[in-house]
Amino acid sequence: MPQVRSSRFIRLLAAGAAGAAVVAALPAVSAQAGTAPINVSVKGGYNNSQSLGTATGTVTGTGSNQASYSVTLCGQSTYPSSQVTIKGGTATAYHTVYYQNCETFTGDLVSAYGFTSIEVTVSGSTFYPGNQYTTYTRARTIYF
């Protein structure tokens, strides 16, 4: 005669399978909590020998679709300003300093979808070659 299993055993088995499925479906948010350094500088002018702007700082992933940043932007031999653009996913932040000033900027990037890197672009301008106003740009991708 075949042995009939109790419905309690079947319910426990189904609950265990459902629990495992829920855990497997959860996003791995802890992988997003990394911190990475920012260090991007742009040069221009004669033989790219003039420092025009430097951005240093950090970016930290705070969720699957967001990150926080702290960046110090310094203008060197630029006229009239240096700019930094920080882009992650669909979020973008812009900051500017004028002439040879330095300023620290902090903020959050919140994207419509997840991301694990940002692109940092620094630009500055000078009157070279000759009297021609020229803007130079340097971009780096930073993974966190």
Side-chain angles (χ1 to χ4, degrees):
M1 176 171 230
Q3 183 178 11
V4 178
R5 297 217 184 245
S6 73
S7 62
R8 180 176 178 198
F9 175 76
I10 294 173
R11 284 193 312 254
L12 286 174
L13 186 62
V22 167
V23 169
L26 290 175
V29 174
S30 62
Q32 300 296 324
T35 298
I38 296 172
N39 190 355
V40 181
S41 55
V42 62
K43 291 185 175 189
Y46 179 72
N47 286 335
N48 289 325
S49 61
Q50 279 185 300
S51 292
L52 300 177
T54 302
T56 58
T58 58
V59 59
T60 302
T62 56
S64 64
N65 68 331
Q66 51 190 336
S68 62
Y69 65 87
S70 175
V71 63
T72 300
L73 176 63
C74 293
Q76 279 99 13
S77 298
T78 190
Y79 179 83
S81 62
S82 292
Q83 298 84 29
V84 63
T85 303
I86 304 166
K87 181 174 175 146
T90 61
T92 305
Y94 304 95
H95 301 289
T96 302
V97 295
Y98 291 91
Y99 305 109
Q100 286 74 39
N101 293 319
C102 290
E103 192 170 342
T104 299
F105 303 98
T106 60
D108 295 313
L109 299 171
V110 180
S111 173
Y113 56 84
F115 62 98
T116 58
S117 66
I118 62 168
E119 183 179 71
V120 177
T121 304
V122 178
S123 61
S125 303
T126 187
F127 285 98
Y128 182 86
N131 285 334
Q132 183 176 349
Y133 185 74
T134 306
T135 299
Y136 297 87
T137 301
R138 177 73 179 232
R140 291 254 166 95
T141 301
I142 298 167
Y143 298 90
F144 53 89

